[in-house]
């Protein structure tokens, strides 16, 4: 199975905790994909690979983003760690040989979301927040919600990320705001 090849390479790129997190996201993404009707094999690959660039320092991420010609905003200079998602998608393609654009896209948007999220994108985004190694207030409620309503779970994940940025006094990335606004506008009667 090709996943074993990826796992061996990932072990060399991530510390133990992040590697274990990647396995947790892989398993949770598979479960959520099965529940909601997304492609389970793609969910496994996206979950396993999503943080492949998470060990790259922020200044290097900025350089790599420039080399890969990724679209960047000024806010990215202040929040370079978030670039591990789009840079990770590029590394997954270049260094691991992942060619499935659907998987690469899910990896690319897993930190900020996007105005146009596929079901796989949503599954990965939420799985990243609710995998078994995550501990925060009401995580169990969010886990249960993720199984019932992936859109509402995604919205809650956006809210958690925005709240976290506000608590830290950080900038809030406009791409996440746009993604959140789009999700809400698509469901005008949604209770939030
Ligand atoms: Fe990540
Ligand atoms: Fe992650």
């Amino acid at each position: 199975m090709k996943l074993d090849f990826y796992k061996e390479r990932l072990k060399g790129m991530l510390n133990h905790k992040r590697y274990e997190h990647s396995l947790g996201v892989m398993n949770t993404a598979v479960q959520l994909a099965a529940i909601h009707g997304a492609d389970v094999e793609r969910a496994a690959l996206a979950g396993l690979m999503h943080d492949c660039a998470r060990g790259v320092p922020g200044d290097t991420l900025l350089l790599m983003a420039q080399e890969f010609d990724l679209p960047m905003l000024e806010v990215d200079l202040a929040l370079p760690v978030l670039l591990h998602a789009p840079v990770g998608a590029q590394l997954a393609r270049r260094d691991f040989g992942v060619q499935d654009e659907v998987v690469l896209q899910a990896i690319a948007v897993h930190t900020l979301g996007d105005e146009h999220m596929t079901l796989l994108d949503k599954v990965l985004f939420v799985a990243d927040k609710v995998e078994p190694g995550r501990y925060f207030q009401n995580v169990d409620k969010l886990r249960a919600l993720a199984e019932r309503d992936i859109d509402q779970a995604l919205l809650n994940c956006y809210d958690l990320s925005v709240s976290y940025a506000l608590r830290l006094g950080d900038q809030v990335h406009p791409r996440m705001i746009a993604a959140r606004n789009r999700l809400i506008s698509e469901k005008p009667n949604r209770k939030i």
Side-chain angles (χ1 to χ4, degrees):
M1 179 66 179
K2 216 168 175 194
L3 284 183
D4 289 335
F5 163 76
Y6 295 133
K7 284 179 187 173
E8 281 309 308
R9 293 204 61 178
L10 265 186
K11 266 187 206 167
M13 294 173 71
L14 298 174
N15 66 29
H16 178 72
K17 197 174 158 206
R18 286 181 181 144
Y19 179 70
E20 290 296 314
H21 163 71
S22 300
L23 296 182
V25 175
M26 178 181 74
N27 291 331
T28 301
V30 164
Q31 287 165 10
L32 292 177
I35 290 169
H36 296 293
D39 186 306
V40 170
E41 284 191 19
R42 282 173 160 154
L45 181 55
L48 179 65
M49 295 296 299
H50 80 288
D51 269 347
C52 68
R54 187 64 184 81
V56 179
D59 50 354
T60 309
L61 284 171
L62 283 169
L63 288 174
M64 293 174 90
Q66 284 170 356
E67 279 169 22
F68 285 124
D69 214 13
L70 297 175
M72 280 205 290
L73 301 171
E74 199 161 322
V75 63
D76 289 305
L77 301 177
L79 305 168
V81 68
L82 299 176
L83 291 168
H84 77 265
V87 169
Q90 297 290 332
L91 293 187
R93 186 205 310 271
R94 189 189 73 184
D95 298 348
F96 289 76
V98 175
Q99 293 177 343
D100 187 336
E101 295 295 332
V102 176
V103 170
L104 295 171
Q105 174 66 14
I107 295 171
V109 301
H110 89 263
T111 50
L112 292 173
D114 192 83
E115 288 185 78
H116 306 285
M117 296 277 271
T118 66
L119 181 57
L120 184 73
D121 297 344
K122 294 173 182 179
V123 160
L124 177 62
F125 198 103
V126 173
D128 189 25
K129 301 291 185 294
V130 303
E131 61 95 3
R134 293 282 200 190
Y135 298 99
F136 52 85
Q137 203 177 11
N138 293 328
V139 67
D140 285 333
K141 281 186 187 166
L142 187 53
R143 283 190 182 113
L145 180 62
E147 295 186 0
R148 284 199 315 277
D149 185 340
I150 196 73
D151 280 333
Q152 185 64 43
L154 177 63
L155 182 55
N156 286 24
C157 290
Y158 287 153
D159 289 354
L160 281 172
S161 295
V162 172
S163 302
Y164 185 68
L166 294 179
R167 264 206 313 283
L168 292 181
D170 276 350
Q171 298 185 58
V172 180
H173 202 294
R175 203 168 292 151
M176 177 170 279
I177 299 296
R180 182 178 179 277
N181 285 349
R182 172 60 69 100
L183 187 59
I184 293 170
S185 70
E186 285 172 353
K187 303 274 185 186
N189 298 322
R190 183 177 296 281
K191 272 192 262 166
I192 53 168

